């Protein structure tokens, strides 16, 4: 079976677990007065479950074109997986985990600037005179939008500075 069909099968299994929660467990704790509403908290998850099953089944049972196809430009050749920048992708995933862990102790501004700068360095950017101002402007504008416009408290600095 092709890789896309295995992924579709795993996706269908995940959607079935999600659908079980949406159809059978989410609405058990609703108070009786809310059970008369036409839209419950599980309505959107139920819609996502049905759509996910439809898409997964389409991918799983769609016919594949016959014969070996020539490789397209930009297609991933699984036989040459070692030739790709796998370590860059793994380093970026580790950096994302480190970013999530550093948000509270370092604060939003420090953690996000660090994530953007180190992530850009991992991807090959070396022009610091462009990288640092862009990261600073991006972090400042995101913090302003979340804190001031949306009204969601977002600690910009570590707790010792506040």
């Amino acid at each position: 079976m092709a890789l896309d069909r295995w992924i579709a099968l795993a996706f269908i299994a995940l959607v079935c677990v999600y659908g079980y929660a949406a159809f059978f467990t989410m609405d058990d704790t609703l108070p009786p007065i809310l059970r008369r509403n036409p839209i419950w908290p599980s309505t959107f998850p139920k819609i996502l479950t049905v759509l996910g099953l439809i898409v997964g089944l389409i991918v799983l049972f769609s016919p594949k074109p016959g014969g070996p196809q020539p490789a397209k430009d930009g297609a991933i050749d699984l036989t040459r997986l070692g030739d790709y920048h796998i370590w860059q992708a793994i380093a970026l995933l580790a950096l994302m985990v480190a970013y999530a862990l550093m948000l509270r102790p370092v604060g939003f501004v420090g953690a996000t600037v660090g994530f953007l700068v180190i992530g850009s360095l991992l991807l090959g950017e070396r022009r610091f005179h462009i990288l640092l101002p862009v990261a600073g402007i991006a972090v400042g504008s995101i913090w302003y939008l979340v804190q001031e416009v949306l009204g969601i408290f977002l600690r910009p600095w570590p707790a010792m500075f506040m």
Side-chain angles (χ1 to χ4, degrees):
M1 189 169 5
L3 180 64
D4 58 342
R5 294 181 194 255
W6 281 109
I7 292 172
L9 195 61
F11 179 73
I12 289 171
L14 179 71
V15 166
C16 285
V17 171
Y18 184 71
Y20 177 80
F23 279 95
F24 298 111
T25 64
M26 285 183 78
D27 298 325
D28 290 343
T29 59
L30 279 177
I33 194 162
L34 292 179
R35 293 180 189 250
R36 295 175 187 239
N37 288 347
I39 297 178
W40 291 4
S42 66
T43 302
F44 188 64
K46 288 176 182 175
I47 293 170
L48 285 178
T49 298
V50 171
L51 292 176
L53 280 175
I54 290 170
V55 169
L57 290 173
I58 287 173
V59 171
L60 188 62
F61 293 117
S62 64
K64 296 293 273 183
Q69 300 289 328
K72 299 177 187 173
D73 287 339
I76 295 176
D77 184 9
L78 294 176
T79 60
R80 296 183 33 231
L81 200 57
D83 295 343
Y84 299 110
H85 300 282
I86 299 295
W87 294 111
Q88 270 185 334
I90 292 171
L92 278 174
L93 288 173
L95 184 63
M96 288 178 201
V97 171
Y99 171 70
L101 294 174
M102 296 304 291
L103 269 173
R104 283 188 190 248
V106 179
F108 176 77
V109 173
T112 308
V113 166
F115 173 75
L116 290 176
V117 169
I118 295 170
S120 297
L121 290 174
L122 279 173
L123 294 175
E125 181 61 47
R126 298 292 185 255
R127 295 177 289 182
F128 288 104
H129 65 282
I130 295 174
L131 177 63
L132 293 175
V134 166
I137 290 169
V139 168
S141 52
I142 290 171
W143 177 82
Y144 177 78
L145 286 173
V146 170
Q147 176 78 25
E148 303 299 327
V149 175
L150 294 177
I152 301 170
F153 176 70
L154 189 60
R155 177 178 289 147
W157 308 111
M160 66 182 152
F161 292 126
M162 296 192 74

